[in-house]
């Protein structure tokens, strides 16, 4: 049972969400939930880079609030390869270049060697981004390895940290199988306006 007998604690939990600007206290920034559009607006106002996901934006803003440093992302280094992934003939020996793209030409190649079940799943695409210098034959083997791993891995699918909503909903429903999605969403809305992290806890069921 959540103890709210301590009035200071109760008031703190119900504290109004502050305005996100350059004068916000660092602890307030860390304690409250921020939408991506709020983080982007802050970056626009302070001339910070708007690239990346919520985690990237949050880290950039936190560093700025702590140090005043505008840690803007450097421009991506230009690709050196001119290989045409749209129309070139591909083989198992073809080297993956720094300008690799998931083109229809590439999709057809992989389907030829892996069958119609081939798809550009996230794990495989992330591997391809870092595979410059390796061959498409290596890529075929990696895709088969990933597919086999997905078949045998029975653990819950990991959700990236920036997707707090998804994580909360999954954990809520796992702990409260008798309650539905609508209840999970209702308590998420209550949770995200509280000070502190946005991870599901059993005591969330007592939030007013």
């Amino acid at each position: 049972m959540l103890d709210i007998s301590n009035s200071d604690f109760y008031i703190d939990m119900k504290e109004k969400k502050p305005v996100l600007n350059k004068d916000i206290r660092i602890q307030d920034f860390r304690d409250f939930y921020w939408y991506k559009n709020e983080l982007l607006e802050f970056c626009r106002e302070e001339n910070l880079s708007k690239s990346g996901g919520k985690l990237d934006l949050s880290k950039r803003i936190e560093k700025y609030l702590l140090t005043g440093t505008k840690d803007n992302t450097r421009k991506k280094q230009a690709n050196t390869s001119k290989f045409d992934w749209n129309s070139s003939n591909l083989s198992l020996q073809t080297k993956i270049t720094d300008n690799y793209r998931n083109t229809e030409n590439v999709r057809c190649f992989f389907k030829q060697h892996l069958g119609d079940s081939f798809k550009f799943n996230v794990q495989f695409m992330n591997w391809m981004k870092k595979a410059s210098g390796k061959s498409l034959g290596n890529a075929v083997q990696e895709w088969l390895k990933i597919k086999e791993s997905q078949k045998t891995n029975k653990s819950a699918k990991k959700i990236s940290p920036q997707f707090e909503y998804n994580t909360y909903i999954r954990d809520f429903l796992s702990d409260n199988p008798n309650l539905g999605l609508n209840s999970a969403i209702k308590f998420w809305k209550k949770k995200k306006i509280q000070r502190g992290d946005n991870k599901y806890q059993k005591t969330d069921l007592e939030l007013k």
Side-chain angles (χ1 to χ4, degrees), residues 41-116:
E41 181 60 28
F42 179 93
C43 290
R44 276 192 288 268
E45 291 179 355
E46 299 302 319
N47 195 29
L48 297 174
S49 170
K50 300 183 289 296
S51 65
K54 282 187 64 178
L55 279 183
D56 302 306
L57 295 170
S58 294
K59 289 178 181 179
R60 191 172 300 130
I61 292 172
E62 183 168 329
K63 183 174 182 179
Y64 176 67
L65 293 174
L66 285 170
T67 68
T69 302
K70 295 186 177 183
D71 188 17
N72 289 329
T73 304
R74 295 179 180 178
K75 291 184 178 180
K76 185 177 179 181
Q77 187 175 359
N79 295 327
T80 59
S81 175
K82 302 300 182 183
F83 188 84
D84 186 356
W85 288 96
N86 286 295
S87 59
S88 296
N89 291 326
L90 304 178
S91 72
L92 293 173
Q93 288 72 44
T94 299
K95 296 296 184 181
I96 301 169
T97 60
D98 60 358
N99 70 331
Y100 169 80
R101 294 290 183 271
N102 296 322
T103 65
E104 188 59 30
N105 188 36
V106 174
R107 185 190 302 275
C108 290
F109 168 83
F110 281 129
K111 283 194 172 185
Q112 178 185 352
H113 290 275
L114 294 166
D116 290 337

Side-chain angles (χ1 to χ4, degrees), residues 28-200:
D28 287 340
F29 177 71
R30 289 170 174 168
D31 283 351
F32 284 92
Y33 177 86
W34 305 101
Y35 291 104
K36 186 175 182 179
N37 66 310
E38 293 176 302
L39 301 177
L40 286 170
E41 181 60 28
F42 179 93
C43 290
R44 276 192 288 268
E45 291 179 355
E46 299 302 319
N47 195 29
L48 297 174
S49 170
K50 300 183 289 296
S51 65
K54 282 187 64 178
L55 279 183
D56 302 306
L57 295 170
S58 294
K59 289 178 181 179
R60 191 172 300 130
I61 292 172
E62 183 168 329
K63 183 174 182 179
Y64 176 67
L65 293 174
L66 285 170
T67 68
T69 302
K70 295 186 177 183
D71 188 17
N72 289 329
T73 304
R74 295 179 180 178
K75 291 184 178 180
K76 185 177 179 181
Q77 187 175 359
N79 295 327
T80 59
S81 175
K82 302 300 182 183
F83 188 84
D84 186 356
W85 288 96
N86 286 295
S87 59
S88 296
N89 291 326
L90 304 178
S91 72
L92 293 173
Q93 288 72 44
T94 299
K95 296 296 184 181
I96 301 169
T97 60
D98 60 358
N99 70 331
Y100 169 80
R101 294 290 183 271
N102 296 322
T103 65
E104 188 59 30
N105 188 36
V106 174
R107 185 190 302 275
C108 290
F109 168 83
F110 281 129
K111 283 194 172 185
Q112 178 185 352
H113 290 275
L114 294 166
D116 290 337
S117 63
F118 169 79
K119 290 182 180 180
F120 284 116
N121 60 61
V122 174
Q123 192 174 351
F124 181 67
M125 288 191 293
N126 288 338
W127 184 88
M128 292 295 289
K129 289 177 182 178
K130 303 174 182 178
S132 183
K134 296 183 180 180
S135 70
L136 290 182
N138 296 139
V140 167
Q141 293 302 315
E142 183 64 22
W143 190 88
L144 291 171
K145 178 181 175 182
I146 292 172
K147 186 175 182 180
E148 185 62 28
S149 176
Q150 291 173 341
K151 286 181 180 179
T152 58
N153 184 12
K154 302 300 182 182
S155 60
K157 185 178 180 181
K158 183 178 179 181
I159 300 176
S160 299
Q162 64 265 36
F163 301 121
E164 296 172 283
Y165 167 81
N166 304 60
T167 304
Y168 186 92
I169 296 299
R170 185 189 67 183
D171 293 345
F172 181 97
L173 294 175
S174 176
D175 195 46
N176 303 280
N178 58 313
L179 299 177
L181 179 59
N182 288 338
S183 293
I185 294 174
K186 180 182 72 174
F187 284 102
W188 160 252
K189 289 180 178 179
K190 294 179 180 181
K191 180 78 171 187
K192 71 179 181 180
I193 62 174
Q194 309 294 321
R195 179 183 289 275
D197 66 54
N198 296 298
K199 296 179 180 178
Y200 167 76

